[in-house]
Amino acid sequence: MEQNDKKNYSSALYTLITVFFFWGFLAASNGIFIPFCKTHFHLTQFESQLIDFTFYGGYFIGSLILYFASQASKVDIMNKLGYKNGIILGLVISALGALGMIPAVATGSFGFILAVFFIIAVGFSLQQTAANPFVVALGPAETGSNRLNFAGSINNIGALLGPIVVSVVLFGSASAKAAASEVKISSINNLYYMLAALFIAVAIFFWFSNLPKVTSDEKMESSSKANKPLFIIFIAFLLILAADPLSLAIHIPSQYFVYASLAIIIFTLVGTIFAAKKSKEGWGAMQYPQLILGMIAIFTYVGTEVTLQSNMGSLLKTPEFGSFNESDIAPYISLYWGSLMIGRFAGSIDAFNLSKTTKYILYIIVPFVAFGLVLFANVVSGVNVSNLYTYAICVSVLIVAFFIGQQKPTRTLSVLGLLGVIFVLIGLFTTGRVATFAFISGGLCCSIMWPSIFALSITGLGKYTSQGSAFLIMMILGGSIIPPLQGKIADGSNDIIKGMSGIHFSYIVPAIGFAYLAYFAWKVSRELRSQGIDLDHVEAKGGH
């Protein structure tokens, strides 16, 4: 669709990016809500991570339902519905979920609360499926990545504010903190009343907004053979939820079911590469090895990004990390999500038509300006941020990594993957503030991985690009599987290394995740070169 009115472009874009804020706000606030629920409901670390399981699982299930319904009807349902209507429907579903949190909290049932998180996330899944291509369509194709980066920065602002706002709602301002034992879970009601009202208000605003009608003319490609691995992955997803009940029923330790879930997903995707090599017919986008490797990479990336902060609340409560109260964790969770914002702000510099010298100067200045914004957001809430100043050293390391990566997807991904391994290993072999900042620095490494992985994964797919993109979005599932996996390791690994708590040792999980992402950069570059694709002209697009 062609749009000539630049003013309408801008107003439509500004309307659209409001949903990006919600995604970041709620996802990041889980870092505060998880340790709070763990204390309130007396949960194990694995059980507390079921919040992430249901939240990110909602994204996966929503995408999967949409995919199978479209395959069965041979109609692209989202395209027929329209991106605008898709977003409105997603907002209404999320609003119903937010309102459902009120009776869920009243019953005191953790299972009910998980179900509500799932409903909110299904709504988010619809919003995300519609909003990303909508943003790209609101203007010239060559500047689509710029608009996605801008929308991604709004997502980061939501992620920065989420932990701060939720902490204030639960515990009060920094100058008048309530003790964790005095806080009632009903304190969260006001937040969800506010979110429900905002979801409805934005849905109404979208309904009456003069947004352009955007549809795709691409013919939907059939991929009947892809249905089987996707169904197997769905079963593996359910295995996480059934881990504890199955353990009680057949007397096998529950962590084995969690490990089996991850193994089934990985081996299913790897097996698809070999099956598609024998016969490409019927596999659709899955016939391309770079896509399957990328699906595993997106799964790993999202899981690593989420699990670093989701388990951090419990980590900071341990003696070797400072014995923090739940009410004092928010600045560190906020700094983690702020780290993604720092990297993405710096990563967007190359999208502007600036001289090389100007870009180099901005690569140095912009990360520190973004770091200042993170500190300022915490200061406004009454937090003393003086103990966060030394994190500037980690920001400096990221700047060096940017210069080494030179905005090339494979090089950038390799450098950040290896740097992530180094940061997490430093965190594993130290304690206190050094280890805390090392783990938080994982956010700096994750910051611009998504566009690099996405670009490399869909390169060379041709007419299957749209379908490949949908498969990659499904792999947000990693945020549902990997945090509970780390939770199980945390609950059962107290005796593996003497003197190291289970939650500390469990950070071996993101170390392995970063190692795979570095491997992916090397492996996919070989695969693309074998297809005659020039990697120097692969453009990183979008953001997550």
Side-chain angles (χ1 to χ4, degrees):
M1 190 208 78
E2 189 175 342
Q3 180 83 4
N4 296 318
D5 189 341
K6 292 183 180 179
K7 186 176 181 181
N8 284 346
Y9 265 165
S10 299
S11 61
L13 180 61
Y14 296 148
T15 302
L16 192 55
I17 60 175
T18 54
V19 294
F20 284 77
F21 178 90
F22 290 137
W23 305 338
F25 182 95
L26 210 56
S29 65
N30 287 351
I32 301 299
F33 201 52
I34 286 170
F36 175 73
C37 284
K38 182 183 178 184
T39 299
H40 183 85
F41 292 104
H42 309 290
L43 306 173
T44 64
Q45 188 61 19
F46 166 74
E47 289 169 337
S48 72
Q49 292 304 311
L50 290 178
I51 289 177
D52 274 337
F53 171 80
T54 53
F55 185 75
Y56 290 95
Y59 274 92
F60 171 66
I61 296 299
S63 299
L64 202 63
I65 291 172
L66 202 59
Y67 169 77
F68 277 123
S70 295
Q71 286 290 309
S73 63
K74 296 184 179 179
V75 173
D76 187 334
I77 292 175
M78 180 57 73
N79 191 44
K80 186 174 182 179
L81 184 64
Y83 293 147
K84 175 181 173 178
N85 291 334
I87 293 170
I88 292 170
L89 178 60
L91 283 164
V92 171
I93 292 172
S94 293
L96 292 173
L99 288 173
M101 184 63 79
I102 313 306
V105 165
T107 64
S109 167
F110 184 58
F112 196 169
I113 289 172
L114 291 179
V116 167
F117 267 108
F118 180 81
I119 293 169
I120 293 172
V122 168
F124 279 11
S125 174
L126 268 176
Q127 293 168 43
Q128 184 146 168
T129 301
N132 279 287
F134 205 166
V135 168
V136 173
L138 289 176
E142 61 270 19
T143 57
S145 61
N146 297 3
R147 290 188 293 279
L148 273 175
N149 279 325
F150 175 57
S153 68
I154 301 302
N155 176 278
N156 290 143
I157 292 171
L160 172 63
L161 294 178
I164 297 171
V165 172
V166 172
S167 182
V168 170
V169 168
L170 285 175
F171 306 110
S173 65
S175 59
K177 291 285 188 187
S181 59
E182 299 172 358
V183 175
K184 296 181 179 179
I185 198 168
S186 58
S187 301
I188 207 73
N189 284 2
N190 292 336
L191 174 68
Y192 282 92
Y193 275 128
M194 179 183 72
L195 282 174
L198 286 172
F199 288 146
I200 293 296
V202 174
I204 293 171
F205 184 62
F206 267 74
W207 180 264
F208 288 106
S209 293
N210 186 26
L211 294 177
K213 182 174 175 61
V214 177
T215 57
S216 171
D217 296 326
E218 288 186 38
K219 182 178 181 295
M220 192 182 72
E221 293 292 339
S222 176
S223 53
S224 56
K225 289 183 180 177
N227 295 345
K228 184 176 179 181
L230 289 175
F231 180 73
I232 293 172
I233 291 170
F234 169 68
I235 298 300
F237 164 78
L238 294 180
L239 195 57
I240 296 277
L241 197 60
D244 283 345
L246 284 173
S247 176
L248 291 172
I250 59 180
H251 306 295
I252 294 175
S254 59
Q255 62 264 32
Y256 292 124
F257 295 105
V258 180
Y259 303 154
S261 174
L262 178 66
I264 290 169
I265 292 169
I266 300 301
F267 284 120
T268 297
L269 289 172
V270 172
T272 299
I273 295 176
F274 293 102
K277 279 184 178 179
K278 294 179 181 177
S279 174
K280 294 184 178 182
E281 186 179 350
W283 282 106
M286 283 192 179
Q287 68 186 267
Y288 294 93
Q290 62 265 37
L291 178 72
I292 303 299
L293 292 168
M295 289 173 70
I296 299 172
I298 290 288
F299 176 91
T300 304
Y301 156 75
V302 176
T304 299
E305 177 193 280
V306 173
T307 202
L308 276 164
Q309 64 87 34
S310 290
N311 288 281
M312 193 169 292
S314 294
L315 180 75
L316 293 176
K317 291 172 68 176
T318 62
E320 62 266 38
F321 280 81
S323 299
F324 285 80
N325 294 318
E326 284 96 339
S327 56
D328 298 319
I329 292 169
Y332 295 92
I333 302 299
S334 174
L335 180 60
Y336 174 80
W337 289 106
S339 295
L340 279 98
M341 182 182 75
I342 291 168
R344 286 171 184 169
F345 275 17
S348 65
I349 292 169
D350 202 54
F352 298 95
N353 187 21
L354 304 169
S355 69
K356 184 175 287 188
T357 302
T358 303
K359 286 181 180 180
Y360 284 167
I361 293 171
L362 289 176
Y363 280 140
I364 297 171
I365 295 175
V366 168
F368 287 111
V369 171
F371 179 45
L373 290 175
V374 176
L375 297 179
F376 177 73
N378 281 281
V379 168
V380 169
S381 70
V383 172
N384 180 359
V385 297
S386 59
N387 58 342
L388 303 181
Y389 292 158
T390 51
Y391 191 68
I393 297 170
C394 303
V395 176
S396 300
V397 174
L398 176 71
I399 293 170
V400 174
F402 266 90
F403 280 106
I404 296 172
Q406 296 180 3
Q407 293 292 305
K408 304 290 186 185
T410 48
R411 185 180 297 184
T412 297
L413 198 55
S414 298
V415 170
L416 293 180
L418 292 173
L419 186 59
V421 173
I422 293 168
F423 274 137
V424 176
L425 289 178
I426 290 172
L428 281 168
F429 289 105
T430 58
T431 57
R433 190 176 301 178
V434 171
T436 300
F437 283 165
F439 288 142
I440 290 174
S441 295
L444 296 172
C445 298
C446 286
S447 60
I448 60 168
M449 282 185 164
W450 174 281
S452 295
I453 297 169
F454 211 94
L456 292 166
S457 302
I458 63 174
T459 296
L461 266 59
K463 65 180 181 180
Y464 295 105
T465 299
S466 179
Q467 187 184 82
S469 298
F471 289 153
L472 289 171
I473 293 294
M474 286 183 195
M475 290 299 102
I476 289 176
L477 173 69
S480 178
I481 304 294
I482 293 180
L485 174 73
Q486 183 172 346
K488 272 299 181 188
I489 293 173
D491 288 332
S493 60
N494 289 323
D495 298 325
I496 290 181
I497 297 180
K498 189 175 181 181
M500 181 182 285
S501 65
I503 187 68
H504 189 184
F505 174 77
S506 72
Y507 271 78
I508 192 70
V509 171
I512 295 170
F514 279 124
Y516 173 76
L517 293 170
Y519 166 77
F520 166 76
W522 171 79
K523 180 66 175 177
V524 79
S525 66
R526 294 189 65 186
E527 178 61 40
L528 291 176
R529 284 196 179 95
S530 72
Q531 296 175 22
I533 295 171
D534 182 2
L535 292 175
D536 288 333
H537 291 88
V538 173
E539 182 187 358
K541 294 183 179 181
H544 176 71

